[in-house]
Amino acid sequence: MRLRWNFGLWRGRRAPLAAAQPQSKQRRMLHLALAAVGLALALWAIMVVRTPPRPGLVPGQPSPVSIRANRTVTYISAWRTEQERTRAESDPANVVYRREPNIPIEQRAQLSDLLATITQVRQDPALTPAERREKLTSLPNSTLVISAELAAQIASLSDERWEVVRRQSLELYDRALSENNYALNDQTVSELRTFSIPYWASLNADPAERELIALFSGSFLRANLVRDDAATAERKQAARDAVEPVQVTILEGESIVRQGDVVTPDIQEKLEALDELRTETNWRAVGAKGLLAALLALTVIVYLARSRPEIGASARSTFVVVGLIAATALAARFIIPLGNTWAMAFPLATTALLLAALYGSGLALVAAALLSLFTAYLADLQLGGALAQLLGCAAGVFVVGRGERSLTFVAAGLAVMLVNGLTQLAIYLNAADVLNTTQLVSIGLFSAVNGSLSAILALGLYNPVAHLAGIVTPIRLMELAHPAQPLLRKLIREAPGTYYHSIAVGNLAESAAEAIGADALLLRVASYYHDIGKTVRPYFFTDNQSDRENVHDDLDPHTSAGIIADHVREGVKLARAAGLPPQIVDFIPTHHGTSVIRHFYQRALQQEDTVDLEDYSYPGPRPRTREQAIMMLADSVEATVRSKVQNGKVISSREERGNAPNGAQTIEELVTAIIDERVRSGQLDECPLTIKDLAAIRQAFITTLQGIYHPRVDYTPQDRKVTG
């Protein structure tokens, strides 16, 4: 009777081992929406929240400290713009006058009537001198009031001299109008009365008569240009509108205010531009920044959803990408206000290198472009610096690749330094009239700091960020492939046959992966660990039995099948306990899928009336990735071909079949048969392998196996024929 050994195996039907299940569409859309909202809010907060202003800086009060500009800033000065607009509005040329042509005529008529009346009074023989003077002072004239002194002076003139006064008064009045084109305003009238008419009178009259001539002709001058208020207001508004906003540039290191100086409106604006002084919140600007943050976040999330759905489907990866972008933006918010020189050294390429190594160049370039524009916005649209950062990031992304070695990060840092520096140099040479050695040294120094920090930070954060994202990096894979790893040392010591089988499977899997563009390094490392569960009971597997008796000869088929299938479950436990990445652990339950343990199933059919197929099948699940499918095929092919070779049932060509043992096959036939069986049994139904991929895998297996098991030359020494 066969012994039914109890090794703590599960009873009844075995559920597949846990594996990562794809997210539902609703959950995927939910976490993408949450990521978009989170990134938008983070960017909005970074743009809006500002550091507290320096204490004691109050507009209109003395400054308690001296302040210099920590960076170069260009802004539109509202105060200076208003000053210029007020100056333009106040220009006298903006006053519009309307001409009244009747005023000069009426005023001349009044002057002529007054002079004629005075002449009549002077020539009236019935009046005594006293009566003449009295009548002159009582003449009804609103323009000129004749005092007693003036009346006495007029009465004392001879008729000849009076005629000169009368005639000169009218002539000078007419001359004043003629020389001003019969258009007088208040200023012109004042100038004529003060300067021109007294001068003209002095040319043709005696001193006693000059005052009278100037008085008569000047008194009747009246402005006939009337101010048009509506047209004047329109012209002043046009003058204001014509003034362009005044742009002010504050240079880095420029003195803004000294201790004790009053904080004037101009200084206040400069301090506000440098974020040193704030008076009120601009809610419109806050809203605009929120819109900008939403657009930036939406760009990232839409790219993930449409162009990189495999990243968007993973909540961990999505939030790692969003976190890296937000963290970089936050760092920029603190570094850029320190000055343009510090902005040149800001290692923005760190995020680009990390994303390129983890997710590829496409996402890295998108993130670099958005972050470059974001930092340019924070730096008051310093587009030259943004261009240098973007080109430097692009160079680093193209060099770093997948970050398979530490040296690739060093090379990427050098690329960032070189391209960033050359870009800044080109921008500087284009703008500068005279070369400044200090500036050239500064460009080289800060570009070197930028590239060095980017490489150091990216290399240091590579594995931690990959762990957060649930990604196993090439560097981590190469560490896991080292024989000094505890699990591999355990495998070498306790199950050497399984170890060498794993090495052979790795060779096959790697060649197949390279043939179809799959992850060859991941497959090689996973091959080393896929049978680690056999170390629990190594001698129950033919790999490690060597010359020992087969212990399964004393066991019933059900128990033997359970022990064989149990190496999958034990392997998962060991791998998880050792902290292996999930990507490696997933290869352990999928490398057999749900295939049947056929040898013991056939024995059970011979010994028992009814057999449950589930008791003789591996727990699964089936392979879901190309790499897992390659592992399943490589494991089956290697084990089968090695067994056939050991039993002499592999022939090099079909022509040798006649002399070969019964059931002998070529390597091509064995590989083809194994792949076909896996396809027919549905083990590859859940993975994305195509027929073309299977053909390439088959050929890679055949080529590798032929290199291992090719016929050898017989080097046995031949007996020499002795001749006498």
Side-chain angles (χ1 to χ4, degrees):
M1 173 184 283
R2 302 285 186 188
L3 298 178
R4 184 176 291 273
W5 291 12
N6 183 0
F7 288 97
L9 303 177
W10 60 91
R11 297 298 181 187
R13 295 184 180 272
R14 299 185 295 276
L17 295 177
Q21 297 293 330
Q23 285 187 327
S24 66
K25 183 177 180 180
Q26 291 77 11
R27 291 189 62 190
R28 184 164 63 251
M29 295 301 294
L30 177 61
H31 87 246
L32 285 174
L34 291 175
V37 172
L39 181 57
L41 291 176
L43 295 178
W44 190 19
I46 290 168
M47 287 189 285
V48 171
V49 176
R50 296 180 291 184
T51 55
R54 296 198 188 192
L57 287 175
V58 179
Q61 298 295 324
S63 172
V65 292
S66 296
I67 300 176
R68 291 183 178 273
N70 56 13
R71 66 184 189 277
T72 298
V73 174
T74 300
Y75 69 97
I76 300 299
S77 172
W79 183 79
R80 293 193 184 189
T81 301
E82 182 59 30
Q83 292 292 103
E84 291 298 323
R85 287 175 176 171
T86 301
R87 187 177 296 109
E89 178 185 29
S90 303
D91 190 341
N94 293 326
V95 180
V96 180
Y97 293 95
R98 183 179 67 254
R99 180 181 295 190
E100 295 289 345
N102 293 328
I103 291 178
I105 297 174
E106 293 173 355
Q107 290 297 107
R108 191 182 190 286
Q110 290 182 18
L111 173 61
S112 179
D113 290 345
L114 176 63
L115 293 174
T117 301
I118 293 175
T119 301
Q120 291 176 359
V121 172
R122 280 174 49 84
Q123 295 177 353
D124 189 349
L127 299 175
T128 63
E131 292 174 339
R132 288 192 185 96
R133 290 194 296 272
E134 182 180 355
K135 193 168 185 177
L136 287 174
T137 58
S138 61
L139 291 178
N141 189 286
S142 60
T143 301
L144 178 64
V145 177
I146 300 177
S147 63
E149 291 79 7
L150 182 60
Q153 186 178 358
I154 294 173
S156 65
L157 291 176
S158 64
D159 292 340
E160 181 181 357
R161 303 316 303 167
W162 169 248
E163 180 62 21
V164 171
V165 169
R166 186 191 68 80
R167 186 180 71 254
Q168 287 292 320
S169 296
L170 292 173
E171 289 178 354
L172 292 186
Y173 179 88
D174 293 339
R175 182 177 179 179
L177 288 171
S178 175
E179 291 197 0
N180 288 278
N181 199 25
Y182 296 89
L184 303 179
N185 56 27
D186 292 334
Q187 183 178 355
T188 305
V189 170
S190 176
E191 291 176 352
L192 287 171
R193 289 173 178 173
T194 305
F195 303 107
S196 301
I197 290 179
Y199 174 70
W200 294 336
S202 67
L203 298 178
N204 298 310
D206 293 336
E209 301 160 359
R210 295 173 188 168
E211 293 182 4
L212 290 175
I213 294 172
L215 177 63
F216 283 120
S217 57
S219 296
F220 283 85
L221 289 174
R222 179 182 167 190
N224 67 333
L225 294 178
V226 180
R227 175 169 170 160
D228 189 334
D229 292 334
T232 298
E234 183 177 349
R235 180 173 292 184
K236 286 186 175 184
Q237 186 61 45
R240 285 181 61 87
D241 295 341
V243 176
E244 295 291 335
V246 178
Q247 182 172 282
V248 177
T249 298
I250 305 173
L251 300 178
E252 184 176 358
E254 178 182 339
S255 176
I256 305 302
V257 63
R258 289 184 173 85
Q259 184 177 4
D261 291 346
V262 175
V263 180
T264 63
D266 190 33
I267 294 175
Q268 176 182 343
E269 277 194 336
K270 290 182 177 181
L271 294 174
E272 289 176 351
L274 293 168
D275 283 343
E276 298 287 353
L277 178 67
R278 293 172 214 108
T279 56
E280 60 183 12
T281 301
N282 186 343
W283 293 108
R284 184 177 63 180
V286 170
K289 291 175 180 178
L291 177 59
L292 178 61
L295 292 174
L296 291 173
L298 192 62
T299 300
V300 174
I301 299 304
V302 170
Y303 175 82
L304 292 179
R306 299 295 299 273
S307 299
R308 297 300 301 275
E310 72 281 7
I311 301 176
S314 169
R316 293 179 66 178
S317 292
T318 300
F319 286 104
V320 163
V321 171
V322 168
L324 282 174
I325 293 174
T328 305
L330 180 61
R333 180 65 184 83
F334 287 102
I335 296 297
I336 288 176
L338 298 179
N340 290 339
T341 53
W342 289 101
M344 291 163 58
F346 178 63
L348 186 145
T350 300
T351 297
L353 296 181
L354 285 172
L355 292 176
L358 295 174
Y359 300 111
S361 60
L363 177 59
L365 291 176
V366 169
L370 293 179
L371 285 171
S372 298
L373 294 175
F374 184 82
T375 54
Y377 179 82
L378 293 180
D380 299 308
L381 300 181
Q382 299 292 330
L383 296 180
L387 180 61
Q389 288 280 22
L390 177 58
L391 294 181
C393 288
V397 165
F398 296 143
V399 171
V400 77
R402 288 192 57 205
E404 295 180 353
R405 293 178 176 82
S406 300
L407 286 178
T408 59
F409 285 93
V410 176
L414 292 175
V416 171
M417 176 186 69
L418 180 63
V419 175
N420 190 303
L422 290 176
T423 304
Q424 292 187 51
L425 178 62
I427 294 172
Y428 172 71
L429 294 177
N430 181 63
D433 296 327
V434 180
L435 293 182
N436 187 328
T437 304
T438 303
Q439 183 65 22
L440 295 177
V441 172
S442 176
I443 289 174
L445 176 62
F446 284 100
S447 297
V449 173
N450 190 326
S452 301
L453 282 178
S454 296
I456 293 170
L457 292 175
L459 182 58
L461 294 173
Y462 186 32
N463 280 325
V465 172
H467 179 72
L468 290 175
I471 295 175
V472 57
T473 65
I475 294 176
R476 175 62 174 151
L477 288 174
M478 287 187 284
E479 292 175 353
L480 292 173
H482 197 281
Q485 290 292 326
L487 279 183
L488 291 185
R489 293 177 61 186
K490 178 182 178 68
L491 185 64
I492 294 171
R493 290 196 308 267
E494 300 178 11
T498 299
Y499 174 73
Y500 290 110
H501 159 72
S502 300
I503 297 296
V505 170
N507 292 333
L508 287 174
E510 186 176 42
S511 63
E514 291 173 349
I516 67 170
D519 193 332
L521 180 59
L522 176 63
L523 265 167
R524 172 169 285 280
V525 177
S527 299
Y528 295 163
Y529 292 92
H530 79 285
D531 271 343
I532 196 67
K534 292 182 179 180
T535 59
V536 176
R537 288 182 284 272
Y539 299 114
F540 283 83
F541 300 89
T542 56
D543 301 341
N544 307 300
Q545 289 175 354
S546 185
D547 296 332
R548 295 173 180 266
E549 293 183 2
N550 191 340
V551 295
H552 292 286
D553 293 340
D554 297 326
L555 299 176
D556 65 272
H558 183 272
T559 302
S560 294
I563 293 172
I564 296 300
D566 197 38
H567 87 276
V568 169
R569 191 176 298 274
E570 296 293 345
V572 170
K573 292 179 181 178
L574 289 172
R576 288 175 177 168
L580 293 186
Q583 291 85 347
I584 300 296
V585 177
D586 287 344
F587 279 91
I588 298 175
T590 58
H591 80 276
H592 284 298
T594 58
S595 59
V596 178
I597 307 172
R598 196 161 300 278
H599 175 72
F600 296 109
Y601 177 64
Q602 294 296 336
R603 286 178 54 187
L605 289 176
Q606 295 172 6
Q607 298 174 14
E608 302 176 17
D609 295 333
T610 58
V611 178
D612 188 348
L613 185 63
E614 288 289 335
D615 292 337
Y616 295 88
S617 300
Y618 286 99
R622 296 172 180 176
R624 291 196 177 96
T625 67
R626 296 193 304 169
E627 288 78 9
Q628 290 173 2
I630 292 174
M631 173 70 76
M632 169 182 279
L633 296 175
D635 180 69
S636 300
V637 166
E638 198 284 327
T640 302
V641 172
R642 178 162 49 85
S643 175
K644 291 284 187 179
V645 169
Q646 291 173 352
N647 290 283
K649 292 185 178 182
V650 173
I651 56 178
S652 59
S653 64
R654 292 185 178 88
E655 287 74 11
E656 300 178 2
R657 198 181 304 278
N659 300 324
N662 187 28
Q665 295 174 286
T666 64
I667 289 178
E668 293 90 334
E669 292 171 338
L670 284 170
V671 171
T672 302
I674 293 169
I675 293 176
D676 290 345
E677 187 278 329
R678 294 302 191 200
V679 173
R680 285 194 305 271
S681 63
Q683 295 300 313
L684 305 181
D685 288 352
E686 299 178 18
C687 70
L689 284 181
T690 64
I691 295 176
K692 182 179 179 181
D693 291 338
L694 289 174
I697 292 170
R698 172 185 175 277
Q699 187 56 49
F701 284 167
I702 292 171
T703 302
T704 303
L705 289 170
Q706 286 176 340
I708 297 173
Y709 299 113
H710 64 276
R712 306 279 182 177
V713 177
D714 187 1
Y715 293 105
T716 303
Q718 301 293 325
D719 293 335
R720 294 186 179 180
K721 187 176 180 180
V722 180
T723 59

